[in-house]
Amino acid sequence: MKFNLLLVSLCLPASLLNAQDKSFRRCEFQFTMGVNSHQAVEIEPDFSLMLNRYVGFTAGLNFMNQMYDNTHYYRSGAHYWIIAENSRKAMALLFRPALRLRFPVFREGGEYFIYFNLEPGAFINLTPNSALKFDLIADDDPLSYVFPLDSKRVTNKGGQVFFYHVKGYFSIDFDRWTASAGFAYSDFDIYSGWRNIKIEGLPVNDMIWSRRTTRTLFASLSYCF
């Protein structure tokens, strides 16, 4: 089910490639910023090569970093493990290859300048296995919050690498500049690089929220040449 949209989209370029302006070629550098359902900021520079006015390919490097600490403690006795403060915000570095489809929407003076863009593709997690630091805390020892009784660093194993991703957005052309805004969706889970970690038999899943998808609102500015 999750690749249905991708498969449908891949059927479109054959007809679009036969459209007019076969000699048209355009490169585009784009910088995107957004916020997503993981309470994280996304920053992504990407490069697109348009084979004609309607079909091309995109490659982006997406950096995702949480704005807030969403971890919690799991108390299982007088002494318990917590995720160390400097490890509590999840982050990810993702490579995003995609097909780029542009559909003309509105024109003025015989030229289209508003387009709807669809980019079915993938997120490839470049950091699938994170390392977390844990501190051992004692309720009857307030100083242990500052000077833990013990500390351990544990690295995740078997983290997921490949996720599907699709983004849709409207763009407005201003000569060589383009401004865009839209929505993106992926099955990427920002805690995917944590979920197999256990500390003294306690799963880190008991300290974080359950798996969720990535839903992103974003805006971007690009330069074409």
Side-chain angles (χ1 to χ4, degrees):
M1 289 292 293
K2 69 181 184 180
F3 287 105
N4 283 353
L5 181 58
L6 175 60
L7 293 175
V8 171
S9 300
L10 289 175
C11 296
L12 296 175
S15 59
L16 293 176
L17 280 170
N18 291 324
Q20 58 182 353
D21 299 328
K22 290 184 178 180
S23 61
F24 179 90
R25 291 289 186 276
R26 185 173 81 173
C27 295
E28 181 177 335
F29 284 108
Q30 184 176 67
F31 184 80
T32 301
M33 291 191 66
V35 293
N36 66 34
S37 53
H38 299 295
Q39 298 181 355
V41 173
E42 288 186 36
I43 298 175
E44 181 186 289
D46 65 53
F47 172 79
S48 293
L49 172 63
M50 299 303 300
L51 304 179
N52 62 26
R53 294 185 187 276
Y54 311 110
V55 181
F57 299 96
T58 296
L61 191 63
N62 186 293
F63 177 73
M64 195 179 298
N65 191 23
Q66 282 188 316
M67 297 178 285
Y68 310 107
D69 167 17
N70 291 292
T71 64
H72 57 268
Y73 304 158
Y74 182 86
R75 289 177 169 84
S76 58
H79 295 180
Y80 52 91
W81 291 96
I82 65 172
I83 299 173
E85 186 174 357
N86 60 0
S87 296
R88 293 176 188 170
K89 294 180 183 179
M91 62 182 63
L93 184 62
L94 306 152
F95 176 61
R96 185 181 68 85
L99 179 67
R100 173 87 179 270
L101 304 173
R102 299 178 82 226
F103 302 93
V105 174
F106 185 78
R107 68 179 178 181
E108 185 176 331
E111 290 289 334
Y112 283 99
F113 70 99
I114 296 180
Y115 289 83
F116 176 72
N117 301 261
L118 184 65
E119 295 187 12
F123 264 162
I124 300 175
N125 192 356
L126 301 179
T127 55
N129 294 299
S130 299
L132 295 182
K133 181 185 176 185
F134 294 86
D135 292 333
L136 184 63
I137 305 299
D139 270 335
D140 58 356
D141 183 4
L143 284 177
S144 67
Y145 288 88
V146 181
F147 304 103
L149 304 178
D150 193 8
S151 294
K152 290 186 178 182
R153 183 173 294 273
V154 184
T155 300
N156 189 75
K157 295 180 180 179
Q160 186 175 345
V161 175
F162 296 98
F163 304 84
Y164 73 86
H165 183 275
V166 62
K167 62 188 291 189
Y169 56 98
F170 287 96
S171 60
I172 303 177
D173 292 343
F174 302 96
D175 295 324
R176 291 186 176 274
W177 294 93
T178 300
S180 307
F183 176 79
Y185 182 85
S186 174
D187 65 338
F188 174 71
D189 169 28
I190 199 169
Y191 289 121
S192 62
W194 294 19
R195 293 201 178 275
N196 296 331
I197 290 177
K198 290 185 178 181
I199 176 72
E200 299 293 333
L202 176 66
V204 77
N205 280 322
D206 290 342
M207 304 178 186
I208 56 179
W209 62 41
S210 59
R211 187 178 298 273
R212 63 176 61 183
T213 57
T214 302
R215 302 176 298 280
T216 307
L217 292 174
F218 65 88
S220 64
L221 183 66
S222 55
Y223 180 75
C224 310
F225 61 95

